[in-house]
Amino acid sequence: MAKPGPIPRSRLRLAAVYLGVIGVILYGAGLGMFGLLMRANWSALEREVETLAGTLHDSLKPLLPEEARPSPQLAAVLPGLCLVSDPCPSPPSLISRHAVSVTDPERFYLRLLDPRGVLIAHSPGSPSRSPRAKAERLDPAWSVEEGPGGDRFLQYSIHLHRSHTPNHSGANALELDWGYLEIGRSLRGLDAERERLWWATQTIVVLALLVAGLASWWLSGLAMRPLLAAYRQQEQFTADAAHELRAPLANLLAVVEAHRAQPPADAVAREQMLAAVHGQGLRLSRLIADLLLLARLDGHEAAAAVQPCSLAEIAHDLQEETSEAAATAQVQLRLLGGEVDLHVLGVESELYRLVSNLLLNAIQYTPPGGEVLLRLSREGTYGWLQVQDSGIGITPADQERIFDRFFRSDPGRSRRQGGTGLGLSIVAAIVRRHHGQISVDSKVGSGSVFSVKLPLAG
Ligand code: ADP
């Protein structure tokens, strides 16, 4: 089976990373939510038990017998509880109106202990006390106890006081330590609720993960789109470059093969052959130089030798340098605004290349008798450089593509004139590197204007 290409592989990896991150967040949020809900339930339970214990304590306070021991008086106060000295009957009866639910052995248990922590009375079915419970008498104290059937109980114990009113009149009632009250609340409901919530959280997280998986796949596709476009562009560029390199190389090899098969008879034929080889060699060398320049311009290495460069100076030099080409093409070349002081912070050799590419194109695509204008002007903190010709013009459709690598409106003409099809893409890359903008305005048959806007130094 064929392995997926680098792009699907990267998309898969990106989607997996997205899913991993979203999964961790979702799972963390689910666990947090679960913990919060359980905490809230637990607090509600604690409040309930605390209130119940307080109410019971207040109800029992005036009724408790003097001594904290199993006695008929105590049995009379708490008829629903079993005294440790007696066999424990069932079912339990009511203790008081507050204790209706407290005597429900399924949900609650009650225990009375003397001040030393020795059990005096308990509700029927209450779990037996652990030996360490005695040693760890704390007031008030929370603990979790296990019932006979394995049920868990939340236990709360508080000090129990007895109200005592002295006989002589006018004396205030006294609060005397009597013992302890332990009240246990079954955790069966809470445990069932925890189980239910746990599974609900797991199910929701798994479902959310499934949706997140689909969303991750879609998002990774979205994120990969520009990369995919760049990758395709790169692929196209490599194919185009190979194609462009192959043609002159094939021509060159054909000439050499012909020479080997049938060496030229005279010096003129030999000279022609050498000229052909030289021409193809030059074409190849130009192409490779342009490709290397483009690669350098695309790279992220620090711009070489950035310095303030005078656009006027560059324009004057290039007007002079291209005047011969203009004369050969019978095109008039003029410079306007050559006196304007425009200094750009950049790489001089690149700025030379920018202007020269535009000027040579203008000369190349302007028929004899035409005119090429190189115009410099200033607008605030920007300098304008325009190359206008009265040449063949560019169709609106081609205007969209002329800055693409290897694009030519007329490939035959471009090649004949030694063009590599990379001139304008090099211009665009240089403009980009100098934080400028380039635009073209053209009309077929009337000519074109290439305008470059560059930020000025200082
Ligand atoms: P080339 O090496 O073909 O000149 P460029 O990248 O410099 O490559 O230009 C791309 C294409 O843009 C050219 O093939 C030509 O069709 C068009 N072009 C560029 N400059 C002009 C111009 N001044 N007038 C008309 N067409 C132009």
Side-chain angles (χ1 to χ4, degrees):
M1 209 175 82
K3 271 183 150 186
I7 293 290
R9 245 200 336 265
S10 305
R11 185 178 178 183
L12 213 63
R13 218 172 289 156
L14 196 61
V17 171
Y18 276 153
L19 187 60
V21 172
I22 296 175
V24 167
I25 294 172
L26 269 178
Y27 204 70
L31 282 185
M33 208 61 189
F34 171 76
L36 280 178
L37 282 173
M38 286 318 296
R39 184 69 243 156
N41 283 347
W42 188 266
S43 300
L45 211 71
E46 280 186 346
R47 271 197 308 278
E48 181 192 339
V49 174
E50 223 166 8
T51 312
L52 213 56
T55 315
L56 260 175
H57 174 270
D58 292 349
S59 309
L60 290 174
K61 205 161 55 173
L63 308 173
L64 286 170
E66 203 167 307
E67 276 198 51
R69 64 182 174 79
S71 61
Q73 294 98 308
L74 183 62
V77 173
L78 297 157
L81 294 196
C82 311
L83 298 178
V84 280
S85 50
D86 300 344
C88 195
S90 67
S93 57
L94 300 184
I95 296 174
S96 72
R97 66 191 169 88
H98 303 295
V100 171
S101 56
V102 176
T103 54
D104 174 0
E106 291 285 306
R107 295 180 62 206
F108 291 97
Y109 66 77
L110 271 183
R111 290 197 201 110
L112 290 180
L113 301 106
D114 70 9
R116 287 167 298 133
V118 178
L119 187 67
I120 306 169
H122 59 91
S123 57
S126 70
S128 55
R129 302 188 69 235
S130 55
R132 73 182 162 81
K134 200 168 166 183
E136 289 172 6
R137 273 264 40 90
L138 285 170
D139 178 35
W142 291 100
S143 60
V144 175
E145 303 287 316
E146 200 151 310
D151 278 356
R152 297 188 321 137
F153 286 86
L154 172 65
Q155 179 181 289
Y156 184 53
S157 60
I158 51 165
H159 237 107
L160 204 51
H161 300 99
R162 181 173 72 84
S163 307
H164 169 70
T165 313
N167 287 339
H168 51 97
S169 59
N172 289 333
L174 297 172
E175 293 243 318
L176 302 170
D177 275 359
W178 190 87
Y180 293 97
L181 168 69
E182 282 183 350
I183 178 162
R185 163 75 155 90
S186 166
L187 291 175
R188 189 188 287 174
L190 189 85
D191 286 347
E193 176 73 359
R194 184 212 304 275
E195 187 95 338
R196 208 177 55 74
L197 263 177
W198 175 253
W199 285 113
T201 308
Q202 301 295 320
T203 312
I204 290 171
V205 168
V206 168
L207 287 178
L209 276 179
L210 281 179
V211 177
L214 293 176
S216 302
W217 182 249
W218 176 71
L219 277 176
S220 59
L222 214 62
M224 294 289 295
R225 225 175 265 175
L227 287 179
L228 198 63
Y231 180 75
R232 298 247 157 88
Q233 218 172 4
Q234 196 59 38
E235 264 185 345
Q236 184 62 44
F237 175 64
T238 312
D240 288 345
H243 178 78
E244 292 289 333
L245 286 168
R246 199 173 52 183
L249 206 59
N251 288 344
L252 200 144
L253 286 175
V255 175
V256 174
E257 300 272 302
H259 172 77
R260 288 177 68 191
Q262 199 175 0
D266 54 40
V268 178
R270 214 170 19 250
E271 193 49 44
Q272 275 173 352
M273 190 231 37
L274 277 176
V277 169
H278 185 243
Q280 297 304 330
L282 276 181
R283 201 174 141 196
L284 267 177
S285 144
R286 255 197 318 271
L287 194 57
I288 290 168
D290 278 2
L291 284 172
L292 286 175
L293 176 61
L294 259 182
R296 192 169 62 73
L297 290 171
D298 280 350
H300 293 291
E301 79 234 52
V306 173
Q307 61 185 70
C309 310
S310 164
L311 283 185
E313 221 174 279
I314 295 172
H316 277 292
D317 286 356
L318 284 172
Q319 183 194 21
E320 219 175 287
E321 269 179 43
T322 53
S323 60
E324 203 182 312
T328 312
Q330 297 168 38
V331 168
Q332 200 192 346
L333 177 61
R334 285 198 296 142
L335 170 64
L336 298 179
E339 69 293 340
V340 185
D341 175 34
L342 299 176
H343 276 83
V344 168
L345 204 59
V347 184
E348 196 166 46
S349 61
E350 291 178 5
L351 291 170
Y352 264 97
R353 186 66 194 265
L354 185 164
V355 184
S356 109
N357 275 14
L358 289 177
L359 273 181
L360 288 174
N361 269 355
I363 295 168
Q364 188 177 331
Y365 294 104
T366 299
E371 189 183 34
V372 171
L373 279 180
L374 173 57
R375 191 182 295 120
L376 296 182
S377 59
R378 184 186 184 118
E379 190 187 290
T381 53
Y382 287 92
W384 280 95
L385 186 150
Q386 287 176 307
V387 178
Q388 180 175 356
D389 65 56
S390 59
I392 58 171
I394 309 163
T395 63
D398 285 356
Q399 284 175 36
E400 308 265 308
R401 303 184 56 199
I402 48 172
F403 296 104
D404 290 353
R405 291 161 188 197
F406 296 118
F407 176 80
R408 299 154 163 126
S409 298
D410 181 351
R413 177 179 180 155
S414 163
R415 284 204 183 91
R416 271 195 309 280
Q417 293 179 328
T420 59
L422 292 173
L424 283 182
S425 29
I426 289 175
V427 166
I430 294 173
V431 170
R432 248 193 330 271
R433 284 260 285 208
H434 288 78
H435 311 290
Q437 289 163 18
I438 185 166
S439 59
V440 60
D441 185 14
S442 181
K443 213 164 159 204
V444 176
S446 303
S448 316
V449 187
F450 284 85
S451 306
V452 177
K453 186 183 174 189
L454 292 170
L456 295 175

